[in-house]
Amino acid sequence: MNHNSESDLDQREDLLESAPCALAVLSMDGTIEWSNAAFQSISGLRGSGLSFFGALTRGGTIFYETQLLPVILLRGSIKEVALDLVRNDGNSVAVFLSANLRRAGNRTPAGIRIALFEATERQLYERDLLDARKSAEQLADVVRRALDAIVTLSPEGRVLAWNSGAEQTFGYLAEEASGRLLTELVFPQDLHHDIRNAVRQLHAGNDVSLEIEGIHRDGRSLDLSLRLTPHLEPPGVLVAFSAIIRDITSRRAAE
């Protein structure tokens, strides 16, 4: 073997030994034939000759033998199966296990290569994501039921979302308003330039508030309080904007 080949082999061995993910090779009965430092750290099983089942609960061992091993033999591999390891100090570690089958020259099963990835942070992330999704759904429900008209628009001013408050304020159902220009839908022609000026400020990242005249579907004139908020993405590109519109006709009449 030449010097370059020896160097490449050393690099590969160092890569496997120092890899940030936990790697091991098991015999078919679960005995650890080789493992790297990350595997020994996460499992608490140091050295060869130990059984991988020593890091599993009794239920985990049964699950591996009756569920995972048959799938590995049948398909040749599995990906990201959730397991709990129990270390020597009694602490439980949530992991994802991926594995593939190692075959001998005659193609008979000779062992199993496994990789473990700690799942604790991912589980926390998924929990936070689920909480955020629930909060977003609750907020969306509030928006749908709000008395004020709350509208989401494209940068060109076309309606993307139209809540029940908007239906009550202007008389158009959501499916009727969707895709139409808000200016043509609810504002008189002579005020379209005011809306265009407001949208230009949104492109600059500024919120806009104004009181303006609107039109109900039946032709009635409405006094409106309008607040526009931009939705920007880096590097400051307007991708949408929202409009919160309140009918202040009764207040104006009282004044």
Side-chain angles (χ1 to χ4, degrees):
M1 181 181 293
N2 60 40
H3 177 74
N4 288 338
S5 297
E6 291 177 351
S7 177
D8 291 343
L9 180 60
D10 290 341
Q11 289 179 7
R12 287 194 292 269
E13 290 178 348
D14 181 66
L15 174 63
L16 291 173
E17 180 60 34
S18 305
C21 59
L23 303 173
V25 178
L26 310 181
S27 64
M28 296 307 298
D29 64 1
T31 301
I32 300 171
E33 297 180 354
W34 173 88
S35 64
N36 69 352
F39 180 90
Q40 295 171 21
S41 175
I42 195 173
S43 69
L45 301 174
R46 302 184 180 278
S48 59
L50 301 175
S51 174
F52 177 57
F53 301 141
L56 300 179
T57 63
R58 177 58 181 162
T61 300
I62 294 173
F63 177 66
Y64 179 92
E65 292 179 329
T66 62
Q67 301 295 323
L68 300 187
L69 185 57
V71 172
I72 295 171
L73 292 172
L74 178 64
R75 299 181 180 176
S77 66
I78 56 172
K79 290 185 178 180
E80 294 193 349
V81 176
L83 283 176
D84 287 329
L85 302 185
V86 181
R87 296 167 51 88
N88 294 334
D89 57 12
N91 291 324
S92 178
V93 182
V95 299
F96 289 110
L97 179 146
S98 294
N100 63 18
L101 190 62
R102 181 166 62 94
R103 296 184 182 276
N106 60 0
R107 305 303 295 165
T108 58
I112 297 171
R113 307 179 188 93
I114 67 171
L116 302 178
F117 305 88
E118 281 202 61
T120 306
E121 290 187 5
R122 176 166 165 179
Q123 288 176 334
L124 291 174
Y125 168 76
E126 290 175 346
R127 186 183 66 189
D128 291 343
L129 185 64
L130 181 60
D131 290 342
R133 183 178 299 168
K134 288 180 179 178
S135 297
E137 290 172 350
Q138 291 170 353
L139 178 59
D141 188 59
V142 170
V143 169
R144 282 194 298 270
R145 298 173 183 272
L147 296 178
D148 289 341
I150 302 178
V151 184
T152 304
L153 303 121
S154 71
E156 299 78 28
R158 295 190 180 277
V159 174
L160 302 175
W162 183 268
N163 75 336
S164 61
E167 292 181 347
Q168 294 296 320
T169 301
F170 298 109
Y172 295 97
L173 297 176
E175 54 267 28
E176 295 175 310
S178 180
R180 297 179 63 178
L181 290 169
L182 184 67
T183 49
E184 296 178 356
L185 197 62
V186 301
F187 297 115
Q189 181 69 38
D190 61 342
L191 295 180
H192 286 188
H193 67 282
D194 292 338
I195 302 300
R196 287 193 292 269
N197 288 338
V199 172
R200 277 194 286 270
Q201 294 185 55
L202 295 175
H203 278 277
N206 301 316
D207 288 2
V208 179
S209 297
L210 67 156
E211 293 188 355
I212 193 170
E213 180 187 350
I215 304 173
H216 191 276
R217 182 175 188 168
D218 62 13
R220 286 184 288 119
S221 179
L222 302 171
D223 292 316
L224 303 173
S225 171
L226 174 65
R227 181 174 179 82
L228 303 176
T229 302
H231 304 297
L232 303 176
E233 288 187 356
V237 178
L238 183 71
V239 295
F241 64 97
S242 58
I244 300 178
I245 309 169
R246 178 168 295 178
D247 183 357
I248 59 172
T249 306
S250 299
R251 192 190 79 186
R252 283 287 184 85
E255 292 172 351

